[in-house]
Amino acid sequence: MKFTEVNIKNRRANFDYAIIETFTAGIVLTGTEIKSLRQGKASLVDTFCYVGENNGVWIKNMYIAEYFYGTYNNHAARRDRKLLLNKKEIQKLAKAGKESGMTIVPLRVFINDRGLAKIVIGIGRGKKEYDKRQSIKEREDKRAMARMMEK
């Protein structure tokens, strides 16, 4: 069975944070959520992760649009969703989340070859204003180089 290509990115994450380490996790979803996600109707804007009680990692404020053909069983669009990670990864994330200036940021949501929803999360340190200016300058330099190569 061939699944449609779903690749939803958090573009602000690499601009606002210096990503130190990444993890790939599964997401616990309901039936209408996975159907809506397979249609590409999701967003990672203003989304973050946290380690809750009982050492579970949760994603907060992730938007998955209500499924168009869903009935009264439709899901809430911005509910908290549990992430599936192994114990060592959860401990690393909990340790990093307690450090000052560190946060757990979702980077990308995709459907893998087996049809399962996966999310790439990263441990990030917030960038300062001068770091962001450096990122903008590098991006503009790359564009200028690409334009020069086309001519």
Side-chain angles (χ1 to χ4, degrees), residues 8-25 44-51 57-60 62 83 85 93 96-97 101-109 119-127:
I8 299 161
K9 293 180 182 177
N10 184 355
R11 295 189 175 154
R12 291 287 305 182
N14 284 322
F15 184 71
D16 289 338
Y17 301 97
I19 305 301
I20 298 166
E21 189 174 2
T22 61
F23 302 94
T24 302
L44 293 174
V45 176
D46 295 333
T47 306
F48 65 96
C49 300
Y50 64 95
V51 179
V57 179
W58 296 81
I59 185 165
K60 191 162 184 81
M62 179 180 169
L83 300 182
L85 293 155
L93 289 170
M102 302 293 272
T103 186
I104 307 167
V105 183
L107 303 172
R108 180 170 85 98
V109 175
I119 186 164
V120 177
I121 58 175
I123 299 171
R125 172 170 276 122
K127 286 185 180 178

Short mmCIF file of all heavy atoms in Angstrom, two decimals, residues 8-25 44-51 57-60 62 83 85 93 96-97 101-109 119-127:
data_model
loop_
_atom_site.label_atom_id
_atom_site.label_comp_id
_atom_site.label_asym_id
_atom_site.label_seq_id
_atom_site.Cartn_x
_atom_site.Cartn_y
_atom_site.Cartn_z
N ILE A 8 5.60 17.70 7.09
CA ILE A 8 5.22 18.99 7.64
C ILE A 8 6.38 19.47 8.51
O ILE A 8 6.77 18.79 9.45
CB ILE A 8 3.92 18.87 8.45
CG1 ILE A 8 2.82 18.40 7.51
CG2 ILE A 8 3.57 20.18 9.11
CD1 ILE A 8 1.62 17.82 8.20
N LYS A 9 6.92 20.65 8.19
CA LYS A 9 8.10 21.16 8.89
C LYS A 9 7.76 22.35 9.77
O LYS A 9 6.82 23.08 9.50
CB LYS A 9 9.16 21.60 7.87
CG LYS A 9 9.74 20.48 7.07
CD LYS A 9 10.76 20.98 6.10
CE LYS A 9 11.31 19.83 5.26
NZ LYS A 9 12.26 20.29 4.27
N ASN A 10 8.57 22.53 10.80
CA ASN A 10 8.51 23.71 11.65
C ASN A 10 9.66 24.61 11.21
O ASN A 10 10.79 24.45 11.65
CB ASN A 10 8.64 23.32 13.13
CG ASN A 10 8.48 24.49 14.06
OD1 ASN A 10 8.35 25.62 13.64
ND2 ASN A 10 8.49 24.19 15.35
N ARG A 11 9.38 25.54 10.32
CA ARG A 11 10.43 26.35 9.72
C ARG A 11 11.04 27.34 10.71
O ARG A 11 12.20 27.72 10.56
CB ARG A 11 9.89 27.08 8.51
CG ARG A 11 9.49 26.09 7.44
CD ARG A 11 9.14 26.74 6.16
NE ARG A 11 8.91 25.67 5.18
CZ ARG A 11 8.15 25.79 4.14
NH1 ARG A 11 7.54 26.92 3.90
NH2 ARG A 11 7.99 24.79 3.32
N ARG A 12 10.28 27.77 11.70
CA ARG A 12 10.80 28.71 12.67
C ARG A 12 11.79 28.06 13.63
O ARG A 12 12.60 28.76 14.25
CB ARG A 12 9.66 29.32 13.50
CG ARG A 12 8.74 30.23 12.76
CD ARG A 12 9.33 31.55 12.43
NE ARG A 12 9.84 32.27 13.58
CZ ARG A 12 10.37 33.47 13.51
NH1 ARG A 12 10.43 34.09 12.36
NH2 ARG A 12 10.84 34.06 14.58
N ALA A 13 11.74 26.75 13.77
CA ALA A 13 12.57 26.07 14.76
C ALA A 13 14.06 26.29 14.51
O ALA A 13 14.79 26.64 15.43
CB ALA A 13 12.25 24.58 14.78
N ASN A 14 14.51 26.09 13.28
CA ASN A 14 15.94 26.26 13.00
C ASN A 14 16.36 27.72 13.03
O ASN A 14 17.54 28.02 13.19
CB ASN A 14 16.29 25.64 11.64
CG ASN A 14 16.35 24.13 11.73
OD1 ASN A 14 16.82 23.58 12.71
ND2 ASN A 14 15.85 23.47 10.71
N PHE A 15 15.41 28.63 12.87
CA PHE A 15 15.73 30.05 12.95
C PHE A 15 15.82 30.52 14.40
O PHE A 15 16.69 31.31 14.76
CB PHE A 15 14.67 30.86 12.19
CG PHE A 15 14.96 32.33 12.13
CD1 PHE A 15 15.99 32.81 11.34
CD2 PHE A 15 14.23 33.23 12.86
CE1 PHE A 15 16.28 34.16 11.28
CE2 PHE A 15 14.49 34.58 12.81
CZ PHE A 15 15.52 35.05 12.02
N ASP A 16 14.92 30.04 15.24
CA ASP A 16 14.85 30.49 16.63
C ASP A 16 15.75 29.69 17.58
O ASP A 16 16.06 30.17 18.67
CB ASP A 16 13.42 30.41 17.15
CG ASP A 16 12.53 31.47 16.51
OD1 ASP A 16 13.07 32.48 16.02
OD2 ASP A 16 11.30 31.28 16.51
N TYR A 17 16.11 28.46 17.21
CA TYR A 17 16.86 27.59 18.11
C TYR A 17 18.08 26.99 17.40
O TYR A 17 18.03 26.69 16.22
CB TYR A 17 15.98 26.43 18.60
CG TYR A 17 14.76 26.88 19.34
CD1 TYR A 17 13.54 26.97 18.70
CD2 TYR A 17 14.83 27.22 20.68
CE1 TYR A 17 12.41 27.38 19.38
CE2 TYR A 17 13.71 27.64 21.37
CZ TYR A 17 12.50 27.72 20.71
OH TYR A 17 11.39 28.14 21.39
N ALA A 18 19.14 26.79 18.17
CA ALA A 18 20.29 26.02 17.71
C ALA A 18 20.04 24.59 18.16
O ALA A 18 20.05 24.29 19.35
CB ALA A 18 21.57 26.56 18.32
N ILE A 19 19.76 23.70 17.22
CA ILE A 19 19.39 22.32 17.53
C ILE A 19 20.65 21.53 17.85
O ILE A 19 21.59 21.48 17.06
CB ILE A 19 18.62 21.68 16.36
CG1 ILE A 19 17.40 22.52 15.98
CG2 ILE A 19 18.22 20.25 16.70
CD1 ILE A 19 16.39 22.73 17.07
N ILE A 20 20.65 20.90 19.04
CA ILE A 20 21.81 20.17 19.51
C ILE A 20 21.70 18.68 19.19
O ILE A 20 22.65 18.07 18.72
CB ILE A 20 21.99 20.39 21.03
CG1 ILE A 20 22.25 21.88 21.28
CG2 ILE A 20 23.11 19.53 21.59
CD1 ILE A 20 22.12 22.30 22.70
N GLU A 21 20.53 18.10 19.46
CA GLU A 21 20.33 16.67 19.25
C GLU A 21 18.91 16.42 18.80
O GLU A 21 17.99 17.12 19.22
CB GLU A 21 20.62 15.92 20.55
CG GLU A 21 20.65 14.43 20.43
CD GLU A 21 21.08 13.73 21.72
OE1 GLU A 21 21.31 14.41 22.73
OE2 GLU A 21 21.17 12.49 21.69
N THR A 22 18.69 15.42 17.93
CA THR A 22 17.35 15.12 17.45
C THR A 22 16.96 13.69 17.79
O THR A 22 17.82 12.81 17.93
CB THR A 22 17.23 15.32 15.92
OG1 THR A 22 18.15 14.44 15.27
CG2 THR A 22 17.52 16.75 15.52
N PHE A 23 15.65 13.48 17.91
CA PHE A 23 15.07 12.17 18.17
C PHE A 23 13.87 11.98 17.26
O PHE A 23 13.18 12.95 16.94
CB PHE A 23 14.58 12.06 19.62
CG PHE A 23 15.64 12.30 20.65
CD1 PHE A 23 15.83 13.56 21.20
CD2 PHE A 23 16.45 11.27 21.09
CE1 PHE A 23 16.79 13.80 22.15
CE2 PHE A 23 17.42 11.50 22.05
CZ PHE A 23 17.59 12.76 22.58
N THR A 24 13.60 10.74 16.87
CA THR A 24 12.40 10.42 16.11
C THR A 24 11.46 9.65 17.03
O THR A 24 11.86 8.66 17.63
CB THR A 24 12.73 9.59 14.87
OG1 THR A 24 13.65 10.32 14.07
CG2 THR A 24 11.48 9.30 14.06
N ALA A 25 10.22 10.12 17.12
CA ALA A 25 9.25 9.52 18.04
C ALA A 25 7.96 9.22 17.30
O ALA A 25 7.63 9.87 16.30
CB ALA A 25 8.97 10.47 19.20
N LEU A 44 2.87 22.89 12.84
CA LEU A 44 3.72 22.87 14.02
C LEU A 44 4.04 24.27 14.53
O LEU A 44 4.99 24.46 15.28
CB LEU A 44 5.03 22.13 13.71
CG LEU A 44 4.90 20.65 13.42
CD1 LEU A 44 6.24 20.08 12.99
CD2 LEU A 44 4.38 19.91 14.62
N VAL A 45 3.27 25.27 14.13
CA VAL A 45 3.49 26.64 14.56
C VAL A 45 3.16 26.76 16.05
O VAL A 45 2.14 26.28 16.51
CB VAL A 45 2.63 27.62 13.74
CG1 VAL A 45 2.77 29.03 14.24
CG2 VAL A 45 3.00 27.53 12.27
N ASP A 46 4.04 27.41 16.82
CA ASP A 46 3.87 27.61 18.27
C ASP A 46 3.70 26.31 19.03
O ASP A 46 2.94 26.22 19.99
CB ASP A 46 2.68 28.53 18.56
CG ASP A 46 2.90 29.92 18.04
OD1 ASP A 46 4.08 30.32 17.94
OD2 ASP A 46 1.91 30.62 17.75
N THR A 47 4.40 25.28 18.62
CA THR A 47 4.31 23.96 19.25
C THR A 47 5.57 23.69 20.06
O THR A 47 6.66 24.09 19.67
CB THR A 47 4.14 22.88 18.16
OG1 THR A 47 3.05 23.23 17.33
CG2 THR A 47 3.89 21.53 18.76
N PHE A 48 5.40 23.02 21.18
CA PHE A 48 6.56 22.62 21.98
C PHE A 48 6.26 21.30 22.67
O PHE A 48 5.13 20.84 22.70
CB PHE A 48 6.92 23.70 23.01
CG PHE A 48 5.87 23.94 24.05
CD1 PHE A 48 5.95 23.32 25.28
CD2 PHE A 48 4.80 24.79 23.80
CE1 PHE A 48 4.98 23.52 26.25
CE2 PHE A 48 3.84 25.01 24.76
CZ PHE A 48 3.93 24.38 25.99
N CYS A 49 7.30 20.68 23.22
CA CYS A 49 7.17 19.40 23.92
C CYS A 49 7.60 19.58 25.37
O CYS A 49 8.40 20.46 25.68
CB CYS A 49 8.05 18.34 23.26
SG CYS A 49 7.64 18.02 21.55
N TYR A 50 7.09 18.71 26.22
CA TYR A 50 7.48 18.72 27.63
C TYR A 50 7.42 17.30 28.17
O TYR A 50 6.71 16.45 27.62
CB TYR A 50 6.60 19.66 28.45
CG TYR A 50 5.15 19.26 28.53
CD1 TYR A 50 4.67 18.51 29.61
CD2 TYR A 50 4.24 19.62 27.55
CE1 TYR A 50 3.35 18.13 29.69
CE2 TYR A 50 2.92 19.25 27.63
CZ TYR A 50 2.47 18.51 28.70
OH TYR A 50 1.16 18.13 28.77
N VAL A 51 8.18 17.07 29.22
CA VAL A 51 8.17 15.77 29.90
C VAL A 51 7.21 15.90 31.05
O VAL A 51 7.40 16.70 31.97
CB VAL A 51 9.58 15.38 30.39
CG1 VAL A 51 9.55 14.05 31.10
CG2 VAL A 51 10.56 15.36 29.22
N VAL A 57 6.56 11.90 27.40
CA VAL A 57 6.81 13.12 26.66
C VAL A 57 5.54 13.47 25.90
O VAL A 57 4.94 12.62 25.24
CB VAL A 57 7.99 12.96 25.68
CG1 VAL A 57 8.24 14.23 24.90
CG2 VAL A 57 9.24 12.56 26.43
N TRP A 58 5.12 14.72 26.00
CA TRP A 58 3.89 15.20 25.39
C TRP A 58 4.19 16.35 24.45
O TRP A 58 5.09 17.14 24.69
CB TRP A 58 2.91 15.67 26.46
CG TRP A 58 2.47 14.57 27.36
CD1 TRP A 58 3.15 14.05 28.43
CD2 TRP A 58 1.26 13.82 27.26
NE1 TRP A 58 2.43 13.04 29.00
CE2 TRP A 58 1.26 12.88 28.30
CE3 TRP A 58 0.18 13.87 26.40
CZ2 TRP A 58 0.22 11.99 28.50
CZ3 TRP A 58 -0.87 12.99 26.61
CH2 TRP A 58 -0.84 12.06 27.64
N ILE A 59 3.40 16.45 23.39
CA ILE A 59 3.50 17.59 22.48
C ILE A 59 2.28 18.46 22.72
O ILE A 59 1.15 17.96 22.81
CB ILE A 59 3.61 17.14 21.01
CG1 ILE A 59 3.85 18.33 20.10
CG2 ILE A 59 2.42 16.35 20.55
CD1 ILE A 59 4.33 17.98 18.73
N LYS A 60 2.53 19.74 22.88
CA LYS A 60 1.46 20.67 23.23
C LYS A 60 1.23 21.66 22.10
O LYS A 60 2.17 22.13 21.48
CB LYS A 60 1.83 21.42 24.51
CG LYS A 60 0.69 22.21 25.10
CD LYS A 60 1.01 22.55 26.54
CE LYS A 60 -0.12 23.26 27.20
NZ LYS A 60 -1.17 22.38 27.65
N MET A 62 -0.05 21.31 19.12
CA MET A 62 0.08 20.88 17.72
C MET A 62 -1.29 20.90 17.08
O MET A 62 -2.25 20.34 17.61
CB MET A 62 0.67 19.47 17.65
CG MET A 62 0.82 18.95 16.25
SD MET A 62 1.52 17.29 16.29
CE MET A 62 1.30 16.81 14.62
N LEU A 83 3.93 11.31 22.98
CA LEU A 83 4.97 10.85 22.07
C LEU A 83 5.53 9.53 22.58
O LEU A 83 5.66 9.33 23.79
CB LEU A 83 6.09 11.89 21.96
CG LEU A 83 5.67 13.26 21.45
CD1 LEU A 83 6.89 14.16 21.35
CD2 LEU A 83 4.97 13.17 20.11
N LEU A 85 8.61 7.22 22.95
CA LEU A 85 10.07 7.15 22.96
C LEU A 85 10.50 6.08 23.94
O LEU A 85 9.73 5.69 24.83
CB LEU A 85 10.67 8.49 23.42
CG LEU A 85 10.48 9.68 22.48
CD1 LEU A 85 10.55 10.97 23.25
CD2 LEU A 85 11.53 9.65 21.40
N LEU A 93 15.78 13.71 27.40
CA LEU A 93 14.92 14.87 27.18
C LEU A 93 14.54 15.54 28.50
O LEU A 93 14.50 16.77 28.59
CB LEU A 93 13.66 14.46 26.42
CG LEU A 93 13.87 14.11 24.94
CD1 LEU A 93 12.61 13.48 24.37
CD2 LEU A 93 14.27 15.32 24.15
N ALA A 96 17.57 17.51 29.68
CA ALA A 96 17.77 18.70 28.86
C ALA A 96 16.68 19.74 29.13
O ALA A 96 16.95 20.94 29.11
CB ALA A 96 17.80 18.34 27.39
N GLY A 97 15.46 19.29 29.37
CA GLY A 97 14.36 20.21 29.62
C GLY A 97 14.51 20.99 30.91
O GLY A 97 14.00 22.10 31.04
N GLY A 101 17.65 27.56 29.51
CA GLY A 101 17.84 27.94 28.11
C GLY A 101 17.60 26.83 27.11
O GLY A 101 17.67 27.05 25.91
N MET A 102 17.32 25.62 27.58
CA MET A 102 17.10 24.49 26.68
C MET A 102 15.60 24.23 26.56
O MET A 102 14.86 24.39 27.52
CB MET A 102 17.79 23.23 27.20
CG MET A 102 19.28 23.39 27.40
SD MET A 102 20.16 23.60 25.88
CE MET A 102 20.45 21.93 25.47
N THR A 103 15.18 23.80 25.38
CA THR A 103 13.78 23.46 25.18
C THR A 103 13.69 22.29 24.20
O THR A 103 14.62 22.03 23.45
CB THR A 103 12.99 24.68 24.67
OG1 THR A 103 11.62 24.35 24.61
CG2 THR A 103 13.46 25.13 23.31
N ILE A 104 12.55 21.62 24.21
CA ILE A 104 12.30 20.49 23.32
C ILE A 104 11.37 21.00 22.23
O ILE A 104 10.24 21.38 22.50
CB ILE A 104 11.69 19.30 24.07
CG1 ILE A 104 12.55 18.94 25.28
CG2 ILE A 104 11.52 18.11 23.15
CD1 ILE A 104 11.88 18.02 26.26
N VAL A 105 11.86 21.01 20.99
CA VAL A 105 11.15 21.62 19.88
C VAL A 105 10.81 20.57 18.83
O VAL A 105 11.69 19.82 18.40
CB VAL A 105 12.02 22.71 19.22
CG1 VAL A 105 11.28 23.41 18.11
CG2 VAL A 105 12.51 23.70 20.24
N PRO A 106 9.55 20.49 18.38
CA PRO A 106 9.23 19.62 17.25
C PRO A 106 9.73 20.23 15.94
O PRO A 106 9.57 21.42 15.71
CB PRO A 106 7.70 19.54 17.27
CG PRO A 106 7.25 20.63 18.13
CD PRO A 106 8.37 21.10 18.96
N LEU A 107 10.37 19.41 15.12
CA LEU A 107 10.98 19.91 13.89
C LEU A 107 10.20 19.50 12.64
O LEU A 107 10.09 20.27 11.70
CB LEU A 107 12.42 19.39 13.77
CG LEU A 107 13.35 19.74 14.93
CD1 LEU A 107 14.67 19.01 14.77
CD2 LEU A 107 13.55 21.23 15.00
N ARG A 108 9.67 18.25 12.65
CA ARG A 108 9.07 17.74 11.42
C ARG A 108 8.12 16.61 11.75
O ARG A 108 8.38 15.81 12.66
CB ARG A 108 10.21 17.24 10.53
CG ARG A 108 9.85 16.66 9.22
CD ARG A 108 11.10 16.45 8.38
NE ARG A 108 11.76 15.20 8.64
CZ ARG A 108 11.60 14.11 7.89
NH1 ARG A 108 10.81 14.12 6.86
NH2 ARG A 108 12.25 13.00 8.19
N VAL A 109 7.01 16.52 11.04
CA VAL A 109 6.06 15.40 11.15
C VAL A 109 6.02 14.73 9.79
O VAL A 109 5.95 15.40 8.76
CB VAL A 109 4.65 15.90 11.54
CG1 VAL A 109 3.66 14.75 11.52
CG2 VAL A 109 4.66 16.54 12.90
N ILE A 119 7.33 11.87 14.42
CA ILE A 119 7.70 13.26 14.61
C ILE A 119 9.18 13.32 14.98
O ILE A 119 9.66 12.48 15.74
CB ILE A 119 6.82 13.94 15.68
CG1 ILE A 119 7.13 15.44 15.77
CG2 ILE A 119 6.96 13.28 17.04
CD1 ILE A 119 6.08 16.23 16.50
N VAL A 120 9.89 14.28 14.41
CA VAL A 120 11.29 14.51 14.75
C VAL A 120 11.31 15.68 15.72
O VAL A 120 10.81 16.76 15.40
CB VAL A 120 12.13 14.83 13.49
CG1 VAL A 120 13.56 15.13 13.87
CG2 VAL A 120 12.07 13.69 12.51
N ILE A 121 11.84 15.43 16.92
CA ILE A 121 11.95 16.49 17.92
C ILE A 121 13.42 16.73 18.20
O ILE A 121 14.25 15.84 18.02
CB ILE A 121 11.19 16.15 19.22
CG1 ILE A 121 11.70 14.86 19.84
CG2 ILE A 121 9.70 16.09 18.98
CD1 ILE A 121 11.08 14.53 21.17
N GLY A 122 13.74 17.94 18.60
CA GLY A 122 15.12 18.28 18.86
C GLY A 122 15.27 19.03 20.16
O GLY A 122 14.37 19.73 20.60
N ILE A 123 16.44 18.86 20.76
CA ILE A 123 16.78 19.65 21.94
C ILE A 123 17.45 20.90 21.40
O ILE A 123 18.45 20.81 20.68
CB ILE A 123 17.74 18.88 22.87
CG1 ILE A 123 17.07 17.59 23.37
CG2 ILE A 123 18.17 19.75 24.03
CD1 ILE A 123 17.99 16.67 24.11
N GLY A 124 16.90 22.05 21.74
CA GLY A 124 17.43 23.29 21.19
C GLY A 124 17.72 24.32 22.25
O GLY A 124 17.09 24.36 23.30
N ARG A 125 18.69 25.15 21.95
CA ARG A 125 19.02 26.30 22.80
C ARG A 125 18.60 27.53 22.02
O ARG A 125 18.92 27.67 20.85
CB ARG A 125 20.51 26.32 23.11
CG ARG A 125 20.96 27.60 23.82
CD ARG A 125 22.38 27.51 24.32
NE ARG A 125 22.36 26.83 25.62
CZ ARG A 125 23.03 25.73 25.91
NH1 ARG A 125 23.77 25.15 25.02
NH2 ARG A 125 22.95 25.19 27.11
N GLY A 126 17.88 28.44 22.67
CA GLY A 126 17.40 29.64 22.01
C GLY A 126 18.53 30.50 21.48
O GLY A 126 19.52 30.70 22.16
N LYS A 127 18.36 30.99 20.27
CA LYS A 127 19.37 31.85 19.67
C LYS A 127 19.18 33.29 20.14
O LYS A 127 18.07 33.73 20.38
CB LYS A 127 19.26 31.84 18.14
CG LYS A 127 19.76 30.59 17.48
CD LYS A 127 19.70 30.76 15.97
CE LYS A 127 20.19 29.54 15.25
NZ LYS A 127 20.08 29.70 13.79
#
